[in-house]
Amino acid sequence: MTKSINHNSIQSTQHYRQATHAAASMTAAPASPGETPVFPLNIYAHALHLHEGVASDLHFGLFKNDKISMRTAQQSTHELLLSKLPPPPCRIVEVGIDPGAATSSMLSQLGYDVRSITLDTLETLNADAQGFDIVLFKESAQYIDQPVIFNKALDLLSPSGQLIVMGEFALKHTITHLERLHLLKNMIMLAERSGFELIENLDLSVLAAPTFDYLLQAISTYRQRLIKDLFLNPEQLTQLEQSNRINREKYTNGQYGYALLRFRKKTTPRWRLQLLKEDQKHKLFDLFKETFHHTMTPATWQWKYGSNASHELGVWCKGKLIAHYGGVGRKILFFGQPQTAVQIADVMVDTNERGVLTRKGPFFLMTAAFLEHYIGYGKPYLIGFGFPNERHMKIAERHGLYGEVGKMAEISWSPLSKFPHWRTRLLPITALDNNAQIALIVNACWQQMAKDLQTALVGIRDWAYIQHRYLNHPTQHYQVVLIKNRGGDQTRGVLILRYDAHGCEIVDIVAPLAEIPLLVLHARRLAGINGQQRLFCRITENFAAHFAVAGGNRKMLDIRIPASTWDNAPSIDSLRNHWWLMSGDADFR
């Protein structure tokens, strides 16, 4: 029941956040220590006060039977935690929501040397030469990225010091929308890869789950008094009760749980996994140039990774970035339904470290962590995709990270003469053409294309995407044209071309699939007009036939399409040969 930075106690699911966001946003800002708690903690605190006469602790209780009070159950939580600690005076840093809360106050009174900090000060805290004996996260770890937890614990703990994490976890992910709890098994695996050994995993789910029952009873009993005293909208309480019932059910079916984990600091690892921060991007630029032999500009980085939909993991060795694994978020249609995917990008390892391709090497470390953290059921992205060559694909398959779900093919044509096509005409689109009419036309083409691809996986290609991906690219130039009927307003499709030393390339289309031969015809004309010797396109092999009907030469490429096999995600069999991907779906073309 600890307060979160998102005004969320106990409830840490997307459902709760959606259900209570409007209500929570109308309350006061997060309270400082000693001030009145914010919604929904004000409800819990007042309900407990009415029910028991006191509300000094807003944490889960451990109920040994259904006869005891919340206060007694919470005391059981404290007693269990104390039984896991060395005798005082050992040095403890408690990372929580409010400094001076019940746990740190109790420990101080018992003679422990306690440093209580909030989540937003964790990364700035430095240990002295002696180090701490215990780093404690009590119902707060779910709000912090796991690499931050383990890296700071390594820095703060003395040799053989202990990291204790007590709170809620996801025990399994089976839903397609985002869960907010860390998956227990993944947290343990990352800890062991980060220099810790697990010394205890205590499942407290059965004892903690009645906390929801107690709160539901208290809110129901004092419903009218809570509405009156706290000036609540009745719907706020209804939503809160529903959220508690949903979470209680998740405990019952084994989806959520409550646990106490104890880890011992075992070693300082050779490589450190960290989330890459914006002020570290110059390190990425150095590694990128060393790996790919050309530069990434700050504008390209901002275009690719500057939004909240993108993520970067880095592996560091002695203060140097030696590996990088990026992901760029993408809205997709997943067999006709809106979903999110992530394109894997800029995977690279320093040349001096590439020989370490074992399960303890930097490539495995960052890839496994990214898949665990971001891809699969209950994660930010349901599926991932990328464009590795066969060699890299085999390495990932050998480690059990990826499975192959498709291949890329290339079709090429000879250019045509520049004479116009009498039935249709071309209308160029530039970055300046940001008007409602163009948006309506492009979106209509996309809706027709989406209708044809209801049994496929395809990235959304609406006007907002076309603008960002092609018209607003910081370094690349693309030719974007509408193909329209002469003498009428009907648009047949959108064609995106790129010109380079390899010829004229169809990097993307937005059109009904039946219009592809017409788009290829116009692309061949434009290739001829621009003096190109060749027109070509790259498309996932399972959809190549739609382009092959326009003639041309077809060949397979050494480019594979992967999907995660590391964590609980849609199966390889369900995804195989269903992706619609073209060159434009790759960030590097």
Side-chain angles (χ1 to χ4, degrees), residues 347-570:
V347 178
M348 44 192 161
V349 180
D350 187 287
T351 54
N352 296 320
E353 306 283 354
R354 287 180 187 171
V356 187
L357 295 176
T358 67
R359 277 179 166 253
K360 296 183 179 179
F363 172 77
F364 178 85
L365 178 64
M366 64 184 182
T367 305
F370 194 97
L371 300 180
E372 290 166 0
H373 202 69
Y374 294 116
I375 299 177
Y377 293 118
K379 311 285 184 62
Y381 309 104
L382 180 62
I383 56 176
F385 67 97
F387 300 88
N389 60 33
E390 185 175 10
R391 175 178 173 272
H392 290 148
M393 187 72 196
K394 287 186 179 300
I395 293 171
E397 285 180 321
R398 186 167 67 244
H399 291 322
L401 298 167
Y402 301 160
E404 184 179 302
V405 296
K407 301 177 182 178
M408 296 296 289
E410 181 178 283
I411 305 173
S412 58
W413 302 267
S414 59
L416 294 177
S417 67
K418 60 184 70 175
F419 293 108
H421 187 262
W422 69 275
R423 289 185 178 178
T424 51
R425 59 191 175 94
L426 303 181
L427 178 65
I429 302 175
T430 71
L432 300 178
D433 294 319
N434 184 13
N435 60 66
Q437 185 63 27
I438 293 292
L440 285 173
I441 291 172
V442 174
N443 288 340
C445 290
W446 161 241
Q447 290 301 323
Q448 292 175 301
M449 183 177 183
K451 186 177 180 180
D452 288 345
L453 293 172
Q454 292 188 55
T455 59
L457 314 174
V458 58
I460 288 176
R461 286 158 160 77
D462 58 10
W463 173 237
Y465 173 77
I466 298 300
Q467 283 184 296
H468 171 75
R469 174 63 183 88
Y470 301 111
L471 298 177
N472 296 333
H473 196 287
T475 60
Q476 297 283 353
H477 175 72
Y478 301 94
Q479 185 179 25
V480 182
V481 295
L482 295 178
I483 292 114
K484 300 176 70 72
N485 282 348
R486 289 186 184 273
D489 293 331
Q490 182 183 0
T491 301
R492 307 288 291 274
V494 183
L495 183 64
I496 299 99
L497 303 177
R498 177 176 182 264
Y499 299 91
D500 62 15
H502 300 287
C504 176
E505 180 179 9
I506 303 174
V507 294
D508 214 340
I509 66 165
V510 186
L513 302 193
E515 300 287 8
I516 289 177
L518 176 65
L519 270 62
V520 172
L521 174 66
H522 279 289
R524 294 177 69 184
R525 290 183 54 244
L526 288 168
I529 291 171
N530 287 277
Q532 299 295 312
Q533 300 300 310
R534 175 175 176 257
L535 171 73
F536 67 100
C537 81
R538 292 176 174 180
I539 178 73
T540 33
E541 194 271 340
N542 47 289
F543 282 108
H546 291 279
F547 290 84
V549 296
N553 298 314
R554 176 173 169 180
K555 69 176 183 179
M556 296 304 301
L557 299 173
D558 182 22
I559 301 175
R560 304 295 191 264
I561 310 302
S564 173
T565 55
W566 184 249
D567 214 348
N568 192 18

Side-chain angles (χ1 to χ4, degrees), residues 48 56 82 93 119 143 148-149 194 206 208 215 227 244 257 284 299 310 331 338 354 362 369 391 470 485 505 552:
L48 292 177
S56 58
L82 283 173
V93 57
L119 302 176
Y143 308 113
V148 175
I149 293 173
S194 300
V206 173
L215 291 174
I227 292 172
N244 275 309
L284 166 63
S310 300
K331 294 179 181 179
R354 287 180 187 171
R391 175 178 173 272
Y470 301 111
N485 282 348
E505 180 179 9

Side-chain angles (χ1 to χ4, degrees), residues 166-167 316 579:
M166 188 176 190
W316 301 75
W579 265 115

Side-chain angles (χ1 to χ4, degrees), residues 35-209:
E35 295 183 358
T36 302
V38 296
F39 178 91
L41 297 183
N42 59 336
I43 296 176
Y44 295 143
H46 198 45
L48 292 177
H49 181 79
L50 292 172
H51 209 54
E52 300 198 4
V54 65
S56 58
D57 192 350
L58 292 178
H59 287 270
F60 275 81
L62 298 180
F63 288 80
K64 297 179 180 178
N65 58 64
D66 59 0
K67 306 298 183 184
I68 63 176
S69 66
M70 173 66 86
R71 189 175 183 183
T72 301
Q74 289 171 333
Q75 182 61 34
S76 296
T77 306
H78 291 310
E79 291 172 355
L80 175 65
L81 178 60
L82 283 173
S83 72
K84 307 300 179 182
L85 298 177
C90 78
R91 305 184 71 228
I92 300 174
V93 57
E94 187 208 4
V95 185
I97 304 300
D98 290 328
T103 301
S104 57
S105 176
M106 172 202 67
L107 294 174
S108 295
Q109 292 174 15
L110 292 173
Y112 287 95
D113 182 0
V114 182
R115 177 82 173 270
S116 180
I117 65 170
T118 56
L119 302 176
D120 56 357
T121 60
L122 173 61
E123 292 194 70
T124 61
L125 178 64
N126 295 315
D128 55 29
Q130 184 179 357
F132 291 94
D133 300 298
I134 301 289
V135 173
L136 171 64
F137 290 85
K138 187 168 183 286
E139 297 179 17
S140 58
Q142 64 260 42
Y143 308 113
I144 309 174
D145 283 308
Q146 294 179 49
V148 175
I149 293 173
F150 297 121
N151 284 323
K152 287 307 297 184
L154 282 173
D155 293 337
L156 295 172
L157 286 170
S158 61
S160 299
Q162 291 187 28
L163 167 64
I164 299 178
V165 182
M166 188 176 190
E168 283 193 288
F169 294 91
L171 304 183
K172 58 182 179 181
H173 282 159
T174 58
I175 55 176
T176 57
H177 66 261
L178 180 64
E179 293 281 19
R180 296 294 182 181
L181 297 178
H182 295 314
L183 198 63
L184 181 65
K185 69 179 182 67
N186 286 352
M187 191 168 197
I188 292 172
M189 288 193 296
L190 183 58
E192 293 174 340
R193 294 196 297 264
S194 300
F196 291 89
E197 62 175 340
L198 179 68
I199 56 178
E200 185 172 20
N201 177 4
L202 186 59
D203 184 358
L204 302 169
S205 305
V206 173
L207 298 177

